[in-house]
């Protein structure tokens, strides 16, 4: 048989002696035992019985052995110490009735296992040593048994038998060395399992803490989500308000544009009104500083031969004025034009303010608006010169036609 089969056989024998086997394991053990000496498998059971007996005796809870096991142990003890076998002339092991449970389990202490008397499958059932000794009693052994009872009774023989069983269990250590290694492996695995159990308990505690932290984080996230929802709602409200303000601004811009267009229309109406109408309105509601100064000719032949007259009307506060010209000679605009100059206290005499270029398009009375290029303050003289088409920036004053001094 291979070493693997031997290891498996020993493992099954140790399990049977210490813990018991289930049906499949028991069948496997019977198959392996069928290939060996039927007596080999009893060594583990005897050792287990001796160990159980020792521990049970120390605890003060000694249980009687099953009848069959007690008979085998007594017979083995007799062989070890040279005492007569059970039932022989010198030794008689007491017999007792076994409870149903003990007889069925076949184990010390009631642990479940295969019955000790079971034979391997296919093998002839073995008879116990007590049965064989009872069937063939020797008269000399019977007398020895009586002498033993007289010296101390069967109790001494039984004690010797238990001592022999203990000695057998010690001898079994050599046989059970592989089983011991297995037990050491089991003990090592048990230690590892205990360490894993401690780690599992610690992991469970850490998991509880982690769940607590996760719940705290989840609560914080929920609060943040609610806060974000509130902020989003506020942002939507702010966006709606901004849209409303933009709509109001657009409406205001449109209104301002409409007002500007209206003002422009009104200004157009004012500036496009005929000068004589505008002058009439000014004269109808004259400001307090409105002045009116008549024209005078300078002796230039263009105007001296004609009765040119009229006046200058000016309001310093309104910066508005008109020239009224009577019988001014009609000019050809492509040949020469008339230009007005305004002299004031805050302007040098060499550079009077340009009052605008104009034409005399018809004979008769003309009303010409004054178009001052700069602001005029406290004017002292208004003069009209004859200039080239388009006028000049600074006049040579060689053709001074009219003047109106304040």
């Amino acid at each position: 048989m291979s070493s693997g089969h031997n290891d498996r056989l020993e493992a099954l024998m140790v399990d049977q002696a210490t813990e018991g086997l289930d049906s499949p394991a028991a069948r496997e053990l019977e198959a392996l035992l069928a290939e060996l000496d039927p007596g080999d498998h009893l060594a583990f059971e005897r050792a287990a019985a001796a160990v159980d007996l020792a521990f049970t005796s120390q605890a003060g809870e000694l249980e009687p052995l099953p009848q069959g096991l007690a008979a085998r142990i007594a017979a083995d003890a007799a062989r070890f110490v040279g005492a007569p076998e059970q039932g022989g002339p010198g030794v008689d092991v007491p017999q007792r009735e076994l409870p149903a449970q003990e007889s069925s389990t076949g184990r010390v202490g009631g642990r479940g296992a295969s019955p000790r008397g079971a034979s391997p499958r296919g093998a002839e059932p073995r008879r116990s040593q007590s049965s064989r000794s009872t069937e063939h009693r020797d008269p000399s052994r019977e007398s020895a048994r009586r002498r033993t009872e007289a010296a101390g009774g069967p109790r001494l023989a039984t004690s010797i038998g238990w001592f022999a069983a203990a000695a057998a269990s010690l001898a079994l250590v050599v046989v059970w060395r592989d089983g011991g290694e297995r037990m050491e492996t089991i003990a090592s695995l048990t230690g590892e399992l205990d360490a894993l159990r401690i780690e599992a308990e610690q992991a469970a505690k850490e998991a509880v803490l982690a769940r607590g932290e996760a719940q705290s984080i989840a609560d914080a996230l929920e609060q943040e989500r609610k806060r974000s929802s509130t902020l989003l709602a506020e942002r939507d409200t702010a966006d709606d308000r901004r849209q409303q303000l933009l709509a109001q601004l657009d409406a205001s811009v449109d209104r301002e544009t409409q007002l500007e267009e209206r003002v422009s229309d009104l200004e157009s109406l004012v500036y496009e009104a005929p000068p004589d109408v505008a002058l009439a309105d000014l004269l109808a509601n004259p400001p307090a500083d409105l002045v009116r100064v008549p024209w005078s000719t300078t002796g230039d032949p263009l105007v001296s031969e004609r009765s040119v007259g009229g006046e200058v009307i000016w309001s310093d506060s309104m910066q508005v004025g008109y020239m009224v010209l009577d019988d001014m000679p009609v000019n050809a605009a492509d040949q020469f034009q008339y230009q007005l100059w305004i002299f004031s206290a805050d302007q040098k005499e060499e550079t009077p303010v340009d009052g605008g270029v104009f034409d005399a398009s018809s004979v008769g009375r003309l009303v010409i608006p004054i178009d001052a290029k700069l602001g005029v303050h406290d004017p002292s003289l208004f003069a009209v010169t004859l200039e080239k088409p388009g006028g000049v920036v600074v006049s040579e004053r060689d053709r001074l036609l009219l003047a109106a001094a304040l």
Side-chain angles (χ1 to χ4, degrees):
M1 178 177 291
S2 64
S3 60
H5 285 80
N6 283 326
D7 292 342
R8 178 58 179 165
L9 175 60
E10 291 180 1
L12 289 173
M13 292 171 66
V14 170
D15 290 343
Q16 176 180 253
T18 57
E19 300 178 359
L21 298 177
D22 56 11
S23 296
R27 288 194 295 271
E28 183 182 359
L29 176 60
E30 290 178 2
L32 292 174
L33 287 175
E35 302 178 19
L36 297 176
D37 182 3
D40 290 348
H41 72 286
L42 300 178
F44 290 97
E45 295 185 6
R46 287 195 295 272
V51 172
D52 276 345
L53 178 61
F55 285 119
T56 307
S57 299
Q58 291 178 1
E61 299 176 357
L62 184 62
E63 288 187 32
L65 289 175
Q67 182 177 359
L69 179 59
R72 289 197 301 271
I73 292 175
D76 293 338
R79 285 198 303 274
F80 273 96
V81 300
E85 293 183 353
Q86 175 187 354
V91 180
D92 187 9
V93 178
Q95 303 296 314
R96 62 182 179 89
E97 293 294 329
L98 291 179
Q101 182 179 358
E102 290 183 354
S103 63
S104 62
T105 59
R107 296 284 307 279
V108 176
R111 291 188 299 241
S114 298
R116 292 295 186 267
S119 299
R121 183 179 302 175
E124 180 182 355
R126 300 177 60 201
R127 292 181 297 173
S128 66
Q129 294 289 344
S130 61
S131 299
R132 291 197 300 269
S133 63
T134 303
E135 292 176 1
H136 306 285
R137 288 194 177 185
D138 192 332
S140 61
R141 290 187 177 182
E142 181 67 22
S143 61
R145 181 181 65 80
R146 293 193 184 97
R147 287 194 301 271
T148 302
E149 290 178 352
R155 180 179 303 175
L156 176 60
T158 303
S159 299
I160 293 173
W162 287 119
F163 175 77
S169 68
L170 294 176
L172 187 59
V173 171
V174 178
V175 180
W176 209 355
R177 59 185 182 277
D178 292 338
E181 294 177 358
R182 175 179 175 85
M183 295 302 292
E184 290 178 0
T185 303
I186 293 174
S188 175
L189 292 176
T190 302
E192 293 180 3
L193 288 175
D194 290 339
L196 290 175
R197 178 182 58 79
I198 294 173
E199 292 180 3
E201 292 176 354
Q202 183 64 28
K205 294 178 181 179
E206 294 177 356
V208 171
L209 295 177
R211 281 197 297 270
E213 293 179 0
Q215 185 61 41
S216 299
I217 294 174
D219 295 340
L221 289 176
E222 180 63 20
Q223 293 178 358
E224 188 65 22
R225 186 189 64 79
K226 293 180 180 179
R227 182 172 175 274
S228 299
S229 299
T230 302
L231 292 177
L232 289 175
E234 292 177 354
R235 188 194 67 178
D236 293 340
T237 303
D239 288 341
D240 294 340
R241 178 59 179 165
R242 183 174 65 87
Q243 294 297 331
Q244 294 176 358
L245 292 176
L246 288 176
Q248 294 178 2
L249 179 62
D250 292 340
S252 299
V253 171
D254 293 341
R255 179 60 178 168
E256 182 180 2
T257 302
Q258 294 175 0
L259 291 176
E260 289 178 352
E261 292 175 353
R262 179 60 177 165
V263 169
S264 179
D265 293 342
L266 292 175
E267 289 177 349
S268 299
L269 291 175
V270 171
Y271 287 117
E272 291 176 1
D276 53 347
V277 175
L279 177 59
D281 292 338
L282 179 63
L283 295 177
N285 299 286
D289 61 347
L290 185 68
V291 294
R292 303 178 67 174
V293 182
W295 290 112
S296 60
T297 61
T298 59
D300 188 278
L302 183 60
V303 292
S304 59
E305 296 177 355
R306 304 172 65 92
S307 327
V308 177
E311 61 180 344
V312 175
I313 302 170
W314 176 258
S315 171
D316 215 25
S317 61
M318 297 179 63
Q319 292 288 297
V320 174
Y322 294 92
M323 294 181 290
V324 179
L325 299 171
D326 293 325
D327 200 18
M328 188 71 175
V330 177
N331 66 300
D334 57 348
Q335 296 180 8
F336 63 89
Q337 286 185 294
Y338 302 113
Q339 189 168 2
L340 174 65
W341 302 96
I342 304 172
F343 296 82
S344 62
D346 59 352
Q347 193 72 23
K348 293 181 180 182
E349 184 177 349
E350 292 82 7
T351 56
V353 176
D354 179 7
V357 177
F358 63 94
D359 296 314
S361 57
S362 62
V363 178
R365 187 180 180 89
L366 298 176
V367 178
I368 307 297
I370 296 176
D371 183 16
K373 300 300 186 289
L374 297 174
V376 178
H377 301 285
D378 193 15
S380 59
L381 177 68
F382 293 87
V384 177
T385 59
L386 188 67
E387 304 294 345
K388 63 181 180 179
V392 295
V393 177
V394 178
S395 175
E396 297 293 337
R397 305 178 197 174
D398 53 353
R399 299 291 303 270
L400 181 60
L401 304 179
L402 301 172
L406 277 72

